[in-house]
Amino acid sequence: MEFESTAQLIFYGLLVLLGILGNILVLVTILATTVESHGLAASDIILTNLAAVNLLISIFRNVLLIITESRVKIMLTLNWCRVFMFLWVWLKAVSVWVTFCLSYFHFLKIKQHFHLSTKMKEIMYVLAILFLVWFVNFLYAIPAFIYGWTASGNETKILMVVSTTMEPFLGCVWKFPTQESGIIFAVFSLILHELMPIIFMVCTNLSTVYYLNKHIRAIADEHLHSVQVERVAAKLIMALVTLFVLCTGTHLLAVSYYNHNGGPATAFLLTLAKYCATVFIGFSPLLIAAGHSKLRHKVCKTLHIKMF
């Protein structure tokens, strides 16, 4: 699917550039804060993973998408198609579940005052969970390496899982033994990495906001600094889950509609999903960092922005 105008392509390119610069800024800021404080918080480790994986998605997929939509024809060989399709599936899945890990970690902190006996044990706990996320999704992405194929040019309709392009992206398509097995894999993928995370994120973040408000009502003085900080946190959490649900939900709707219907609204939905996915990659780390006091002050100091 091509963008209908040069203006749309430029706008999409700006969103991709924002995602790249935003995630780099978050990574550099966390690194600088870690060096200054001689330590790295567990939540910062999760945020680092989120910014890193979203940066990789921007580089290995979104930048290439801009190039191909600029009428530059790129056709990958079979081996490179399998490598890139594997990377796209793996990184997309990791991005979704690391976002949920960050949300759930904050929920545990607020509801149960979750902490281990030492900071190092907490860090090791988080590292173990993140390693599991990367490893399990690595295994999940293996079918992309097996069933990734080069387009022959005779495809009447390509199966869509991660991609939102109606034409074979970089000449790469899915080629399953049967059409039924391909549909089963696509449905399983959409449920596992689109629908379930939406449900989990909504439940977790609504619960977080509930316990935050409950804690705020238990404190008589609404002008306490801790209360004001928690109010900001509640607003940021709601903004994050809203952004996640809108972006992921749009992708789920667009891909499902294309695979099972392919009606007249297909082009519009796929274009919208493409924009939304880029918006989430660009804004989610910045949004989360905005609620992190140390990161926020460091970013403002780096950019010479006065804090009030």
Side-chain angles (χ1 to χ4, degrees):
M1 179 187 65
E2 297 179 350
F3 289 96
E4 294 180 359
S5 67
T6 303
Q8 287 186 4
L9 181 61
I10 293 175
F11 178 64
Y12 182 77
L14 291 175
L15 288 178
V16 173
L17 180 63
L18 175 64
I20 293 175
L21 296 179
N23 285 288
I24 290 176
L25 178 62
V26 171
L27 290 172
V28 171
T29 304
I30 292 177
L31 177 61
T33 304
T34 301
V35 172
E36 288 184 0
S37 61
H38 304 288
L40 185 63
S43 59
D44 290 346
I45 295 176
I46 305 176
L47 182 55
T48 300
N49 274 261
L50 179 60
V53 70
N54 286 339
L55 177 62
L56 290 173
I57 291 174
S58 295
I59 294 173
F60 285 105
R61 178 167 180 80
N62 295 340
V63 170
L64 293 174
L65 182 59
I66 293 175
I67 295 174
T68 57
E69 294 290 357
S70 301
R71 308 298 176 88
V72 177
K73 190 173 182 179
I74 302 177
M75 300 294 289
L76 298 180
T77 62
L78 175 60
N79 289 336
W80 280 113
C81 268
R82 289 174 170 174
V83 169
F84 272 86
M85 290 183 73
F86 171 84
L87 285 175
W88 296 332
V89 174
W90 186 28
L91 295 175
K92 173 73 184 327
V94 170
S95 175
V96 169
W97 289 108
V98 170
T99 303
F100 172 71
C101 285
L102 183 63
S103 173
Y104 190 69
F105 180 82
H106 286 165
F107 169 73
L108 290 177
K109 282 284 190 178
I110 292 171
K111 181 180 183 294
Q112 302 175 356
H113 302 289
F114 170 75
H115 66 278
L116 300 178
S117 57
T118 64
K119 181 179 179 180
M120 183 55 65
K121 285 188 177 181
E122 184 176 272
I123 291 176
M124 294 304 295
Y125 175 83
V126 168
L127 287 175
I129 296 298
L130 289 174
F131 172 79
L132 190 63
V133 168
W134 282 89
F135 180 71
V136 170
N137 285 293
F138 177 90
L139 298 178
Y140 158 76
I142 289 178
F145 190 82
I146 298 174
Y147 298 113
W149 211 260
T150 54
S152 63
N154 298 322
E155 293 84 5
T156 57
K157 181 177 180 179
I158 61 173
L159 180 67
M160 194 174 292
V161 179
V162 176
S163 176
T164 51
T165 58
M166 295 175 68
E167 298 295 330
F169 182 46
L170 302 182
C172 302
V173 295
W174 291 90
K175 187 175 181 181
F176 289 92
T178 63
Q179 183 178 0
E180 290 74 17
S181 61
I183 293 296
I184 291 174
F185 180 81
V187 171
F188 173 78
S189 298
L190 292 175
I191 292 175
L192 182 63
H193 295 297
E194 306 283 350
L195 183 59
M196 287 178 58
I198 288 177
I199 296 174
F200 289 160
M201 282 282 282
V202 169
C203 294
T204 301
N205 284 278
L206 289 179
S207 299
T208 300
V209 172
Y210 168 77
Y211 284 105
L212 275 174
N213 290 331
K214 184 178 179 180
H215 177 62
I216 291 173
R217 289 195 299 267
I219 301 176
D221 189 356
E222 294 188 356
H223 299 287
L224 287 175
H225 177 69
S226 60
V227 174
Q228 295 175 355
V229 170
E230 288 177 347
R231 286 187 184 276
V232 172
K235 292 178 181 179
L236 287 171
I237 289 171
M238 288 302 297
L240 175 64
V241 70
T242 301
L243 181 64
F244 179 86
V245 170
L246 288 177
C247 295
T248 308
T250 302
H251 184 270
L252 173 64
L253 175 63
V255 174
S256 299
Y257 184 81
Y258 171 83
N259 284 337
H260 301 286
N261 189 319
T266 299
F268 170 76
L269 287 175
L270 292 177
T271 301
L272 184 62
K274 189 182 300 182
Y275 281 123
C276 288
T278 309
V279 167
F280 179 74
I281 288 176
F283 283 94
S284 58
L286 295 178
L287 183 62
I288 298 170
H292 192 302
S293 58
K294 291 183 179 180
L295 292 182
R296 184 173 64 250
H297 288 327
K298 187 65 179 179
V299 170
C300 291
K301 182 180 178 181
T302 302
L303 299 179
H304 305 290
I305 299 175
K306 185 177 180 181
M307 293 292 296
F308 294 95

